[in-house]
Amino acid sequence: WNPIDMLLYHAHGYGSRLHLNPWASTDMPGSYLSDARSLDSGASQKPDMLLISSTGNNLTSPSSTSLAKNALSVGLAGSATPFSSYPDDGSIKPDLVAPGTGVCSARSQDLQGTYLGCGVSTHPDGSSAHALMTGTSMSSAAAAASAALLRQYFVDVQQMPQPSGALMKATLIHGAEASGSAIVPNPAEGWGMINLEQSISPSDAEGDLDVWLDDGRTLAPGSSSAYSFSLSDSRDLEVTLVWTDDAGSVTANASTPRLVNDLDLIVTGPGSTYLGNHFSNGQSVVGGAADTANVVERVVISDAVSGEWTIRVANRAGLDSDYAIVISGAGSDLNKADLAISSDGLAAYPAA
């Protein structure tokens, strides 16, 4: 085992289901290397644990350590030097951004150079035990705090004793919103700024939306699951699919996607079919090709037309794969049977 495997193994053994990794290698940013592979391996062995990684600072592309497919990779909201490109394999990273500017943070006594102290605690040498700091170490910690609250919500309110890391990641991404004028997803902020309220209680301009969840269902290669709904007219429909993948290759060409299991999200409404991650101006559009680079796939449709909609998850290639899906819209579950899923698998919390 390498040191990362040991970190995750011991943390999980002591009961942790969230693991923050606020460090980043500056070697070959944008490339999937051994540290990312180790995080992916750990997540696949501990699917009930969410790994959170920081994307690094002052780089043109996210750090190699934050390119773990299964980790929630967090950038800095409003960064003065935002990422200008996606990783080499074309995946969408960071996953989202969070505030991390001017945060009163723990300071080592060994920290040298100029700093602005904060708080009242001091080290034995009299120097401040805290300092105002800015960076993705701070923003990833903010995301971890949101993830902890979200997990408590799932356990205490939704009565889900072991929500998967994939469900946690899907729900946080589902509620993220653009933090500036740029359309998401984009290389600077991924799917947007974390918004815990929108993750737990999604809404559109007309009010609260109904939410449906499915977590931990396994798909064999070549099989699919389907969910059917009757939706109201002119309300937003959003779908977020996340699965926990096996560790990818570190020896493949840098531009080669690292997926082992390739799942597809296909959403079909009256007269139209939308594929996951095929967007124009931030909205899902018909046509395009299936995504082959990401373990996160989304469909976003504003003012979805009324009628019957079917949301399908298909295991296109690889091995058996668990997944989590979050769906928000205005309507009702049609309770239609499917070869791979029954309506009893859906957890729903309708809008009040």
Side-chain angles (χ1 to χ4, degrees), residues 166-201:
L167 178 62
M168 298 281 293
K169 181 177 177 179
T171 307
L172 290 169
I173 290 174
H174 194 85
E177 298 180 324
S179 61
S181 58
I183 294 170
V184 294
N186 64 65
E189 56 185 341
W191 296 103
M193 167 86 84
I194 194 168
N195 184 333
L196 189 57
E197 180 179 11
Q198 189 71 3
S199 289
I200 291 175
S201 183

Side-chain angles (χ1 to χ4, degrees), residues 74-118:
V74 183
L76 175 64
S79 173
T81 55
F83 301 121
S84 58
S85 63
Y86 285 131
D88 296 336
D89 63 4
S91 58
I92 298 172
K93 292 287 183 175
D95 291 300
L96 46 75
V97 295
T101 300
V103 178
C104 191
S105 308
R107 171 193 168 272
S108 168
Q109 182 174 299
D110 297 328
L111 179 65
Q112 303 298 315
T114 303
Y115 65 90
L116 183 60
C118 58

Side-chain angles (χ1 to χ4, degrees), residues 37 44 69 217-224 243-248 258-264 313-323:
R37 177 182 167 82
S44 66
K69 297 171 290 182
R217 192 169 301 278
T218 302
L219 281 181
S223 66
S224 65
W243 66 97
T244 299
D245 201 15
D246 292 336
R258 266 31 184 202
L259 291 186
V260 176
N261 303 321
D262 187 3
L263 275 59
D264 287 334
V313 180
N315 188 340
R316 166 191 242 187
L319 308 170
D320 288 358
S321 181
D322 296 345
Y323 71 87

Side-chain angles (χ1 to χ4, degrees), residues 195-218:
N195 184 333
L196 189 57
E197 180 179 11
Q198 189 71 3
S199 289
I200 291 175
S201 183
S203 62
D204 63 9
E206 296 186 38
D208 291 341
L209 296 168
D210 301 304
V211 180
W212 298 270
L213 310 171
D214 199 12
D215 186 28
R217 192 169 301 278
T218 302

